[in-house]
Amino acid sequence: MVSLQISKIIKYFILIFFAVLFLTPVYVIIVTSLKPLDEVSLSSMWALPSSIDFSSYAEAYSKLAPNLMNSIYLVIPATLLSALLGAMNGYVLSKWKFKGSNTIFTIILFGMFIPYQSILIPMIQFLRTIDLYNTIPGLILVHVVYGLPITTLMFRNFYANIPDAMLESAKIDGANFLGIFRHIIMPLSITGFVVVAIWQFTNIWNEFLFAVTITTSDQQPVMVALQNLSGSQIVQWNVQMAGALLAALPTLLVYIFLGKYFVRGLLAGSVKG
Amino acid sequence: MAQTKTRKKISKDNLTAIAFLLPSFLLILVFVYGFIGWTGYVSLSNYNTIVPDFSFAGLKNYIYLFNDFRFQADLRNTLFFTIFFIGLVIILGLGLSILIDQKLKGESFFRNVFLFPMALSFVVTGVVWQWLLNPSTGFNQFLSIFGIQPKWYTDTNILAGFEWGSIEFGLPVAILAVVIAAVWQMTGFSLAMYLAGLRGIPDELKEAARIDGASEFQVYRKVVLPMLLPITVSVIIIMAHISLKIFDLVYAMTGSGANFVTDVPGVYMFETTFRGNYYANGAAIAIIMLLLVAIFIVPYLWSNRKGGQ
């Protein structure tokens, strides 16, 4: 009994030690971003602020606000479009398999693992040609296309859990491909759409490489603006910390309120059904 | 009669199915495979200028890179980054998931604490850890109590280094600072994977081993770990491809560093292509990155494809 107690204490000790370590950056962000300017010094990074001061947030927000809007204009259509296309593909690849459909799926899936550097130079030339370079719609196009593999994978795995018998009986009742999709699959897809949308929202919001190469200054999403903020020598680091929190807030809130679905997406995207 | 009718209907449905899939498939063919081909073509050209020049250069750009100090340093850094990053993500994820799975109080709190960095951008992580591992502040203020002051990402030492090519080959100490930040961000991934795996192992199986006289340690070594092997393979593959193409974390946190001690191919590709207009060199780096990723991914996808049938 005693040894059981001791082992329990050791387990807690290890978990708490790592939990503190993992939360350290959060502490530093919050403490630093709430300090008045005259208390922000390298030597007192860990000290609590003597009074709470939101001026870093005001300054960070004034610098990041336009880019936050760009991110919102980007992430909503890109998420919806890539989820819809993923649902269509997943439906076909799980419920209407044909000869070679598994190969087609693998060909699509490979696209999610490539380093995007390997398509970036042609992509930019292409976007220039169709006049979408340095525009939000151009960035939406890119995220929809390169989001297809993961959304297809997620919906395919999701639909694999819907019993074939349901489709068979609908077919006997005379329902066709589209009818089954609209009246059986779609109503059962709500959880699937939530999981995929959260995953795509998080990824597109956080993405940096496409954002920094395809857009310039006033078209840039928030992560590029945050990077510029931190790269600039004249910006105080309390403002950088406030900016980091502002930029991270949408995905953090999604995680806090819908974390269950976020984890499901994480698992759905990594293990193939 | 009825037979032919159903058959006709199915074939019409099959056509609709193909029409559903075709736009996405064509997009992937063009934007993934076509563009990779195009990048390959650029990498074999003389397009190291602002004005496009697609004249054939053979392997010139690749030969240049493999003799280039910066690219050799990149490959060295990527190697050590990948090893330490994957190793730590697996050890921490596995260890913490086993502890969380012990039915202790507060397990959902711990799970959430280890998982939330997954929801953040690598840029945010980079901005914050750049300050935490800054040699003159951050963690060093605690460590100074013990009299140690690591230089973190500003350290230019190469551990156990020896001359190889034009670089000193060995462990670049500075890259470990980037590893810490990356592990902080990605441990949640392996933790979630292992937790799902642990939940899938029936308690009876562990119970049976205990009845056979196995100690708790042996239960995990002989029963649980072997059953987690497929998950470990998935985690390694997914972390490896993240590690090989990493760009934003390094770019936001440290940049290339002195003597390129924290440089990686992703950063080199970005800077040489979009800041230096060396498009052909950039394309060659991208193709090498793709080949490195493909070594891991293609066998994985191939074996999954068979398993899925």
Side-chain angles (χ1 to χ4, degrees):
Chain A
M1 235 16 226
V2 175
S3 78
L4 228 120
Q5 280 304 322
I6 292 174
S7 88
K8 213 172 189 181
I9 290 169
I10 294 172
K11 283 170 191 166
Y12 270 118
F13 179 80
I14 299 171
L15 280 173
I16 290 168
F17 173 80
F18 278 102
V20 169
L21 219 56
F22 268 71
L23 289 173
T24 311
V26 181
Y27 172 82
V28 171
I29 292 181
I30 293 174
V31 164
T32 309
S33 60
L34 290 174
K35 277 179 191 169
L37 195 60
D38 56 328
E39 282 179 37
V40 179
S41 77
L42 286 180
S43 57
S44 63
M45 182 192 234
W46 302 94
L48 288 165
S50 63
S51 63
I52 291 190
D53 184 307
F54 287 101
S55 58
S56 339
Y57 284 97
E59 197 182 333
Y61 183 76
S62 75
K63 289 196 158 74
L64 296 181
N67 307 91
L68 278 166
M69 289 316 292
N70 287 342
S71 280
I72 290 169
Y73 294 138
L74 159 69
V75 77
I76 291 172
T79 299
L80 293 179
L81 274 172
S82 63
L84 188 66
L85 286 168
M88 290 164 62
N89 300 336
Y91 172 52
V92 174
L93 291 171
S94 62
K95 295 300 175 204
W96 294 84
K97 290 193 181 182
F98 49 90
K99 200 167 184 295
S101 65
N102 278 329
T103 307
I104 287 186
F105 176 58
T106 307
I107 289 172
I108 293 178
L109 204 55
F110 181 68
M112 109 187 201
F113 294 103
I114 59 163
Y116 295 127
Q117 284 87 353
S118 64
I119 49 86
L120 208 48
I121 296 170
M123 190 76 214
I124 287 169
Q125 288 182 347
F126 173 76
L127 289 175
R128 279 188 203 279
T129 314
I130 60 167
D131 263 343
L132 286 181
Y133 179 72
N134 196 19
T135 63
I136 302 288
L139 215 44
I140 293 172
L141 173 73
V142 171
H143 280 294
V144 169
V145 170
Y146 297 105
L148 284 175
I150 183 84
T151 58
T152 302
L153 165 69
M154 284 181 168
F155 274 111
R156 179 180 177 269
N157 288 352
F158 184 77
Y159 291 148
N161 294 327
I162 295 176
D164 285 336
M166 280 179 78
L167 276 75
E168 288 308 323
S169 61
K171 275 182 212 165
I172 289 164
D173 292 343
N176 62 6
F177 176 88
L178 283 174
I180 296 172
F181 187 63
R182 265 222 306 272
H183 300 299
I184 297 182
I185 297 290
M186 281 307 240
L188 290 171
S189 300
I190 293 166
T191 321
F193 269 99
V194 172
V195 170
V196 170
I198 286 176
W199 189 255
Q200 282 299 91
F201 173 84
T202 306
N203 276 328
I204 297 170
W205 187 273
N206 288 342
E207 201 277 337
F208 182 69
L209 179 64
F210 286 137
V212 76
T213 47
I214 289 173
T215 52
T216 56
S217 57
D218 57 343
Q219 300 293 317
Q220 285 172 335
V222 70
M223 286 308 157
V224 185
L226 174 65
Q227 153 67 22
N228 292 341
L229 200 68
S230 86
S232 137
Q233 301 295 320
I234 46 165
V235 178
Q236 279 288 343
W237 57 294
N238 56 330
V239 179
Q240 294 182 21
M241 292 294 187
L245 191 64
L246 282 181
L249 207 56
T251 54
L252 264 184
L253 288 177
V254 164
Y255 176 76
I256 290 167
F257 291 110
L258 299 163
K260 194 178 80 183
Y261 297 102
F262 178 78
V263 175
R264 278 180 62 171
L266 185 155
L267 297 174
S270 49
V271 191
K272 284 188 56 186
Chain B
M1 192 59 199
Q3 193 65 33
T4 46
K5 207 177 162 192
T6 8
R7 197 171 291 154
K8 232 180 208 165
K9 200 169 130 204
I10 285 170
S11 81
K12 193 186 161 213
D13 277 346
N14 280 345
L15 280 180
T16 333
I18 289 169
F20 248 49
L21 190 60
L22 201 61
S24 300
F25 185 60
L26 290 179
L27 282 174
I28 293 289
L29 282 187
V30 172
F31 284 83
V32 173
Y33 296 89
F35 279 11
I36 286 174
W38 189 342
T39 303
Y41 176 68
V42 172
S43 78
L44 298 173
S45 76
N46 285 310
Y47 186 8
N48 280 319
T49 44
I50 298 177
V51 183
D53 171 8
F54 291 110
S55 58
F56 186 66
L59 292 173
K60 192 185 84 183
N61 300 308
Y62 290 92
I63 293 166
Y64 168 80
L65 283 174
F66 283 110
N67 288 312
D68 177 28
F69 176 85
R70 180 171 183 182
F71 195 66
Q72 290 182 3
D74 288 358
L75 292 177
R76 173 197 67 200
N77 299 346
T78 303
L79 175 72
F80 286 103
F81 179 84
T82 305
I83 293 171
F84 281 89
F85 170 63
I86 296 180
L88 284 170
V89 161
I90 285 180
I91 293 169
L92 271 181
L94 181 62
L96 294 173
S97 68
I98 288 175
L99 287 177
I100 287 176
D101 196 43
Q102 304 286 310
K103 302 183 177 74
L104 300 173
K105 280 205 188 81
E107 66 165 73
S108 75
F109 167 77
F110 288 116
R111 200 180 52 226
N112 281 326
V113 166
F114 299 132
L115 261 160
F116 86 89
M118 280 289 300
L120 300 179
S121 168
F122 267 129
V123 177
V124 171
T125 305
V127 169
V128 177
W129 280 90
Q130 169 200 344
W131 289 106
L132 285 168
L133 296 178
N134 186 309
S136 47
T137 178
F139 283 114
N140 274 10
Q141 293 190 359
F142 292 117
L143 295 174
S144 67
I145 302 168
F146 307 102
I148 32 174
Q149 292 284 287
K151 288 193 229 137
W152 300 116
Y153 53 81
T154 61
D155 199 327
T156 50
N157 271 324
I158 309 289
L159 277 190
F162 56 89
E163 296 291 316
W164 196 29
S166 47
I167 57 158
E168 199 181 351
F169 186 84
L171 168 64
V173 180
I175 206 80
L176 294 179
V178 187
V179 169
I180 292 172
V183 167
W184 177 76
Q185 172 135 32
M186 298 308 293
T187 293
F189 181 84
S190 69
L191 180 106
M193 295 274 285
Y194 280 125
L195 263 183
L198 287 168
R199 301 270 148 93
I201 297 174
D203 278 339
E204 295 85 58
L205 223 56
K206 287 189 263 182
E207 210 41 58
R210 286 189 195 110
I211 289 167
D212 289 345
S215 70
E216 205 53 22
F217 179 72
Q218 282 171 323
V219 170
Y220 275 94
R221 230 196 59 160
K222 303 265 180 185
V223 180
V224 175
L225 285 190
M227 293 190 77
L228 295 177
L229 190 66
I231 292 181
T232 307
V233 172
S234 291
V235 172
I236 291 177
I237 302 284
I238 287 163
M239 290 302 119
H241 101 275
I242 289 175
S243 156
L244 291 171
K245 61 190 193 188
I246 196 152
F247 161 68
D248 26 15
L249 176 65
V250 178
Y251 190 72
M253 183 175 165
T254 67
S256 309
N259 278 330
F260 301 114
V261 280
T262 55
D263 201 45
V264 288
V267 173
Y268 191 7
M269 188 278 170
F270 173 77
E271 286 182 349
T272 200
T273 311
F274 301 106
R275 299 287 180 260
N277 295 314
Y278 294 102
Y279 288 92
N281 280 351
I285 297 171
I287 293 296
I288 294 167
M289 291 172 73
L290 179 71
L291 291 176
L292 290 176
V293 169
I295 292 171
F296 284 89
I297 292 302
V298 171
Y300 178 67
L301 286 182
W302 194 251
S303 64
N304 263 323
R305 190 192 74 100
K306 280 184 195 153
Q309 275 170 345

